[in-house]
Amino acid sequence: MKLSRPILVLSLACATPYDGMAQVVDLGPDISPRQRFQVYPRIDKAYEAMARGDGQRAISELQQAQRLAPENTEIALQLAAAHRRFGQPAQAEAVLKAQLQRHPGDARLAQALRDMHQGAVPAGQPEPQAVPAPLAQEAPKAPGAAAPAAATTAQPAAPAVDTPQRPRRSPAPPAMPSGYAKASQAYAATERRDFAAALPLARQAVAAAPARLDYQRLLVYLLVENGRFDEAEARAARLDNVKQLQSDADWQMLRTSIRQRQALRPFEQALQAREQGDMAKALRHAESSVRLAPQALAPRLQLLGLLLQDGQADQAQRVAEQGLALQPDPALQVLQGVALHVQGRGMASEQAFDAALAAPHLSRSERQNYGVIALDAALAAGQTERAQQLVQALEKDSNADVGSRREQLKALRSSTLARSYELPLPLVNCFSAGDVPGCEIWPGQEAPDPAYKVAQEAYQAYGNGQYALAADKAAAAIQLNPRHLPYRQLRLQALLAAGQKTQALEEADQTLQLQPDAVEVLALRSRLRREQGMTEAANADAQTALQMGGLSLSSEVDLLLQLGRREEAAARFAQATSAEPELQQSANPDLAYMAIRVGDDRRALSIFNRARDQGRLPDTALRDGAYTASRLAENEQSIGYFKQAISAVHEGKLDMTPQQQYETRREVSDRDRSWGVNTLLGYRGISLGAAGAQPGLYGDVAQLVSEVYWRPQKFGDGRFWELYGGAAQTVYSRHDVPTGGETTQGALGIRAKPLSDHNLILAVERRVRIGSLSSNDWLLRMGYSGGMGTDLRVDVPSWNTVNVYTEVGRFIHRKQNYATFEAQAGRSFRMGGGDSRLVLFPHAVLGADYNSERAASGKQSSVGAGVGVNMRFWFREDRDHAPRSYLDLSLQYRARLAGDERGKGVFLRAALVF
């Protein structure tokens, strides 16, 4: 069970990395942990420079600190104080006023400005050389002592007089606090997830400064990440009494995680000891597991099963009651009922069984198993009427094979040996799949289950993703115990996961012939039939299974979706996840995928986030979490998931092809972009979509267009809007068309992509007159683009490419309409090896345009077709980002198909997209 990495990273980042600064600089809450860690070294350097009298360096460092955290008022106050100290009162006032615009009404900023005006020095005199209070050196304080409030303005002081004989003395910089350098290195290694390298550095930091809680916390975290759980627990236990940590939610979460991870080891040791027949050793380990994680269900069920098997019914009752006080679970109630029955407390036992069977949202298998156990207890107690009611309920509502028990009931009614039937102890079947323990309660058998051991191996293999092995082991278990339905269900699930769908379908048919009311098998067969195109038969199975009831939530939701009853599926999912406590805060990724299937992306993202925080999210699900966040326009969360997937690939934890890696980096680039600059040069037609271009200007002319745009909300869910501005100019003409500055046309506008899945762009643009031949006007534009293969490919040397763009527009005042269309189809070739970013694109082209203003020929449209070649060079990329910019050169020759002569000739284009 991996710990949530952000817990400790956040805690360390929040901790002040420099003791001296921590005592006098309080940056307040309006700064992120990462900003805090970046800013403090800048402040340190500023202090050192100030001590040397290097005002330029001190101011520069504080300016960099302010750029890192522009909203932080304390940094602005320090920067203003530094400006004043080194004779720059105007700059100090400017800093304070700018910050006051960010935070109107801030009393500290207003006071600092008043102090400046009241203490202003007459013209010609130097500014007082006072050390700003936040950077002043103070005496060390005891750990945990309250820091004094940092002053916000410089204190008046007599001007210092410099002479060659007596240079000004600057205060010496404070010594680096003990452990700071090693803690910083450990933090950096932790950010890289190099936990092995970070651990010795954290040890050295703690050894140098044992009173620093942030160093201690980091060390505990790294011990857990390196698998040293005992040492982590020992260190954490010594810190539990520290008052500052007792109310720290992150610390308590870390403590819980340590205990749960510790509990897994004795849980597995108890499994091994039980298999070896060492009951005393198994009990010791099981008790240790419960003691370490008292609220976890599986360790307590394991202990209860062992206690009952060992004949300690009274102790089992106490353990069950303790668990029920923490969480009322029907599995605990069943085992409590068994313990009470063994002690002869029949009425209390019946109440426990009835409470378990009345629990809401029991699965069909749970209702069956618990009902059979309650029936066994009734038969053992000679309660024939109760046994008869339980038999009828089981035959009506479950798949239970109660034939032998019905015969026993008949024997009890006709025999004087009413109490000769002994309660077979339930089997508490526990297993560990990876880091997740689990237990199931099965009815006891008069003879030991011959398939128990091999079934355990089958469950273990399935949990480890070894599906073929799990299928084989399950088949062996079925041979030993052919009537036990869970073994058959496991076999079918393993075959399906291993891709052996035909075999799975055949065995599902066989199972249903033996047990027609095996509802989960029926649901599974419905799914298999649908995948093989047997739609009518699949839907019939689905409807029958839903009518039978008792399905698991996943099966019920999937069958409703299969039948097209999407609203019912969503309602059933919402009802279950709202009503069942174990689902409300679930971190099970499978539940997140179920939420996606019913269209509940918000709940799916919450589950993905919890699973990631608790270390339960597999790396294979990271991109699914990213796309879920993207559909909700949670841009930063989406980027975080994508980057984590990229890191997992580099760390060898996730397999992705080179093209999948590139596509993941492209997703980051698209969502990260908030601005851009485009410069385009076109001869015989400008590049489509360019701001400021003159759509009505045709013929042998060249236009140069530049624009800059800003995307305030970034990518969102695929819908975004932009503010843009640009200018265009005719730079060349073969004839008498004007060129140069008099043709310069400005443009300002807003454009939006309103659809997530389609590249439809709507724009409102204000044409601004700059040159004497330009104009003021409003332009409404609509463009649409599509195609395939337009991005770089890194998996193949060449690929098919199609690119289509069309645009229509209207000038309001001129009452001019235009439309333009261009389609290119060809094959792209990457020029060089897999790392090359140069692409050659020979293609065929079809172009058409329309303008309501007639050309000199009297025609309003033209159509041309021809061939062309395009060369594009991609650049500006890094580990997390695909190339974000490109330089594009295009040459085409078109023959006229219809309309005006402007549709033929040579077309040249160059574009820089940055």
Side-chain angles (χ1 to χ4, degrees), residues 89 99 102 246 262 408 417 431 588 613 618 743 888 892:
Q99 194 69 16
R102 292 190 182 97
Q246 290 175 353
Q262 277 191 306
Q408 179 65 31
L417 303 174
F431 50 88
N588 184 353
D613 291 345
T743 67
D888 196 90
Q892 296 175 352

Side-chain angles (χ1 to χ4, degrees), residues 301-372:
L301 293 177
Q302 181 189 53
L303 177 57
L304 283 168
L306 292 171
L307 289 170
L308 290 171
Q309 187 179 349
D310 197 47
Q312 302 185 44
D314 53 347
Q315 178 63 15
Q317 177 199 336
R318 287 191 289 271
V319 170
E321 289 174 350
Q322 292 166 1
L324 288 168
L326 296 172
Q327 54 174 331
D329 188 274
L332 291 174
Q333 291 169 331
V334 165
L335 294 181
Q336 180 191 39
V338 173
L340 291 166
H341 173 87
V342 173
Q343 296 178 73
R345 300 172 60 183
M347 185 174 294
S349 174
E350 292 173 27
Q351 292 173 349
F353 286 130
D354 290 344
L357 291 171
H361 314 304
L362 284 179
S363 69
R364 191 180 186 89
S365 61
E366 288 173 334
R367 186 181 299 109
Q368 169 186 311
N369 291 339
Y370 300 168
V372 172

Side-chain angles (χ1 to χ4, degrees), residues 779-844:
L779 173 61
L780 305 180
R781 310 170 69 180
M782 180 174 67
Y784 186 88
S785 62
M788 67 176 187
T790 55
D791 197 2
L792 178 68
R793 294 279 297 272
V794 297
D795 57 334
V796 292
S798 63
W799 59 94
N800 293 330
T801 301
V802 176
N803 188 19
V804 178
Y805 183 87
T806 184
E807 179 180 320
V808 296
R810 176 175 175 81
F811 290 92
I812 301 300
H813 297 318
R814 292 169 57 182
K815 299 181 179 179
Q816 177 186 0
N817 302 321
Y818 73 88
T820 184
F821 170 86
E822 183 172 322
Q824 302 171 357
R827 192 163 180 85
S828 295
F829 297 86
R830 192 177 62 248
M831 308 303 290
D835 294 334
S836 174
R837 296 298 182 255
L838 181 63
V839 177
L840 187 69
F841 173 44
H843 58 272

Side-chain angles (χ1 to χ4, degrees), residues 661-782:
Q661 294 180 48
Y662 179 85
E663 291 168 356
T664 304
R665 294 166 58 221
R666 172 60 65 203
E667 298 288 356
V668 175
S669 296
D670 289 344
R671 286 158 177 76
D672 243 356
R673 181 176 289 276
S674 60
W675 63 275
V677 178
N678 301 324
T679 299
L680 309 105
L681 176 64
Y683 176 68
R684 298 186 63 84
I686 193 63
S687 294
L688 302 175
Q694 299 292 346
L697 189 60
Y698 305 105
D700 296 327
V701 298
Q703 288 188 75
L704 177 65
V705 181
S706 290
E707 73 163 28
V708 60
Y709 66 86
W710 175 47
R711 193 177 294 172
Q713 297 175 339
K714 294 189 178 179
F715 187 80
D717 61 349
R719 296 176 291 183
F720 55 80
W721 61 279
E722 299 171 341
L723 299 173
Y724 66 93
Q729 185 181 106
T730 303
V731 295
Y732 169 77
S733 172
R734 286 184 57 190
H735 306 294
D736 296 330
V737 175
T739 62
E742 62 182 354
T743 67
T744 303
Q745 175 71 62
L748 297 172
I750 181 170
R751 59 187 169 222
K753 180 176 178 291
L755 304 176
S756 298
D757 301 323
H758 297 279
N759 289 324
L760 176 68
I761 302 294
L762 305 177
V764 177
E765 186 175 302
R766 175 62 180 175
R767 292 294 172 115
V768 180
R769 180 176 182 179
I770 298 178
S772 60
L773 297 181
S774 64
S775 62
N776 293 320
D777 205 342
W778 286 98
L779 173 61
L780 305 180
R781 310 170 69 180
M782 180 174 67

Side-chain angles (χ1 to χ4, degrees), residues 233 236-242 245-246 251-252 255 259:
E233 173 61 25
R238 292 198 295 269
L239 296 171
D240 281 340
N241 293 328
V242 177
L245 296 178
Q246 290 175 353
W251 174 255
Q252 297 305 322
R255 295 294 286 116
R259 294 188 186 104

